[in-house]
Amino acid sequence: MAGVAAVNPVIQVAALSGSLRKGSYNRGLIRSAIELSKEAIRGIQIEYVDISPLPLINTDLEVDGNYPPAVEAFRQKILEADSILFATPEYNYSIATPLKNAIDWASRPPNVWAGKAAAILSAGGGFGGGRAQYHLRQVGVFLDLHFINKPEFFVNAFQPPAKFSSEGDLIDAETKGKLKDVLLALHAHTLRTQGKC
């Protein structure tokens, strides 16, 4: 059994959604990724990390080198993760404010994003959140995040056939297959980034 673990080590993934809305399609992508990680993919454990408790970034809240409790807890989750799975809607050609706020808190010294593998998912109209993904990749350069390059994952949520249920759950089998490909790529990329393969 030890040989199997060595061949396919388990990676811990912190999953963040830039949308706080309960029925958000981007949160639905995270839920589907968690489901896939339990049922169809070995070697990956995904934990949804809720960013809604984070206060707006304000360095006045940093006291004697300490961050507010919600920020400390969030930073610890990111620090403990092997890699990051972002799901971001696109707002005004960019990432959503809640996600940018979370990114900024975790980048405060010491930057807990540094050196981590990452992947991006997005769902929305038109380009399916693609411009937000490209902007997040730019931000990731400064953070020292290492994004997978392929496959890219954009979902036009409003184009037939239906991709999501009325509750925001991913229901399209083809899209689930593409999501699985992203998770497999993230697993392999994380192991390469950590020098484990």
Side-chain angles (χ1 to χ4, degrees), residues 16-27 31 48-54 56 87-89 91 96-102:
L16 288 73
S17 173
S19 177
L20 305 182
R21 189 173 60 83
K22 197 180 291 187
S24 158
Y25 295 149
N26 287 282
R27 284 183 70 177
R31 287 191 300 274
Y48 171 67
V49 180
D50 185 7
I51 62 175
S52 66
L54 297 174
L56 287 176
T88 182
Y91 293 167
T97 302
L99 182 56
K100 182 62 166 72
N101 186 59

Side-chain angles (χ1 to χ4, degrees), residues 10-185:
V10 176
I11 63 164
Q12 304 297 322
V13 179
L16 288 73
S17 173
S19 177
L20 305 182
R21 189 173 60 83
K22 197 180 291 187
S24 158
Y25 295 149
N26 287 282
R27 284 183 70 177
L29 293 174
I30 297 288
R31 287 191 300 274
S32 190
I34 291 169
E35 208 174 275
L36 283 168
S37 74
K38 291 177 180 175
E39 298 171 0
I41 302 174
R42 290 188 181 163
I44 190 166
Q45 291 181 341
I46 303 173
E47 179 184 359
Y48 171 67
V49 180
D50 185 7
I51 62 175
S52 66
L54 297 174
L56 287 176
I57 191 159
N58 177 351
T59 55
D60 289 342
L61 299 176
E62 299 174 29
V63 179
D64 298 325
N66 294 310
Y67 298 101
V71 174
E72 288 284 2
F74 171 71
R75 289 171 56 83
Q76 192 60 37
K77 291 279 188 190
I78 301 304
L79 189 62
E80 292 170 355
D82 296 306
S83 57
I84 311 298
L85 180 64
F86 293 99
T88 182
E90 181 178 312
Y91 293 167
N92 302 315
Y93 286 14
S94 187
I95 56 180
T97 302
L99 182 56
K100 182 62 166 72
N101 186 59
I103 288 169
D104 291 345
W105 271 123
S107 71
R108 298 290 299 150
N111 172 16
V112 295
W113 302 111
K116 296 196 184 288
I120 311 171
L121 314 171
S122 61
F127 192 29
R131 288 174 290 247
Q133 286 199 26
Y134 295 145
H135 192 194
L136 182 53
R137 285 177 180 275
Q138 287 179 315
V139 172
V141 171
F142 181 80
L143 300 173
D144 193 27
L145 279 167
H146 305 284
F147 287 106
I148 63 170
N149 289 320
K150 295 198 178 181
E152 292 181 306
F153 186 94
F154 314 101
V155 179
N156 185 323
F158 308 108
Q159 190 175 59
K163 309 293 190 297
F164 296 90
S165 71
S166 59
E167 292 82 33
D169 294 318
L170 183 61
I171 58 171
D172 182 63
E174 182 180 345
T175 305
K176 284 185 180 183
K178 291 176 181 178
L179 177 55
K180 182 179 178 182
D181 292 342
V182 169
L183 297 177
L184 290 169

